[in-house]
Amino acid sequence: MNPLQRSSWACAALLALCAGAQAQTPAGQAQLDLAADAACELKLSGKPMGSMSPGVHRTLVVTPGQVEVTCTGADKALAQAQEQVTLKAGETQVLRLRLRWVPVADGVLDNAGRLIWTRQDNGTDVDWEGAAAWCASLGQGWRLPSRAELESLTAGS
């Protein structure tokens, strides 16, 4: 390969990189810029779109109109984020998918209330003092939930 051919290749590679960095929404399309707070499987209007990793952005080109965005974590019964968006042609919308319930080592993190709940109860009927003692036996920071915290578990259901 002569020097002229080598410089032609270098220019072509540089132009391709520049074009990719300045990519705009294709004509007649829209974009979703997505990030999730936990690992999950992404679906757009019911169509599987692969995995999302915590804090990693994904930009997807979509057809304008109403789009349902769903991201389901490994524990399907607990971790799911769902958003409904309406996009116009040329628009880019940013969505942060917050999964309400995320399994953690000590139980289940409730992102809505910023609490960690145990995965199971004490296993028997107890009075208030017995329940408080059981929570205290779990270690520092564990306590009985307030009435409002308990009610938040069923809010909207």
Side-chain angles (χ1 to χ4, degrees), residues 110-140:
D110 176 0
N111 277 315
R114 303 303 303 160
L115 295 169
I116 295 177
W117 297 85
T118 59
R119 282 190 174 256
Q120 50 190 314
D121 63 18
N122 64 316
T124 185
D125 288 341
V126 292
D127 59 15
W128 186 261
E129 289 77 26
W134 181 74
C135 286
S137 75
L138 296 174
Q140 186 175 2

Side-chain angles (χ1 to χ4, degrees), residues 48-138:
M49 300 300 289
S51 299
M52 294 284 297
S53 297
V56 177
H57 288 262
R58 284 188 60 192
T59 302
L60 302 171
V61 175
V62 297
T63 303
Q66 193 166 16
V67 179
E68 181 181 71
V69 181
T70 307
C71 217
T72 306
D75 191 336
K76 292 176 175 72
L78 296 175
Q80 186 173 45
Q82 191 168 3
E83 297 284 340
Q84 201 68 271
V85 295
T86 302
L87 298 160
K88 297 176 185 168
E91 177 181 24
T92 297
Q93 187 153 356
V94 177
L95 280 181
R96 300 298 168 257
L97 302 167
R98 288 190 48 148
L99 282 70
R100 167 130 191 218
W101 302 101
V102 179
V104 294
D106 292 340
V108 181
L109 172 63
D110 176 0
N111 277 315
R114 303 303 303 160
L115 295 169
I116 295 177
W117 297 85
T118 59
R119 282 190 174 256
Q120 50 190 314
D121 63 18
N122 64 316
T124 185
D125 288 341
V126 292
D127 59 15
W128 186 261
E129 289 77 26
W134 181 74
C135 286
S137 75
L138 296 174

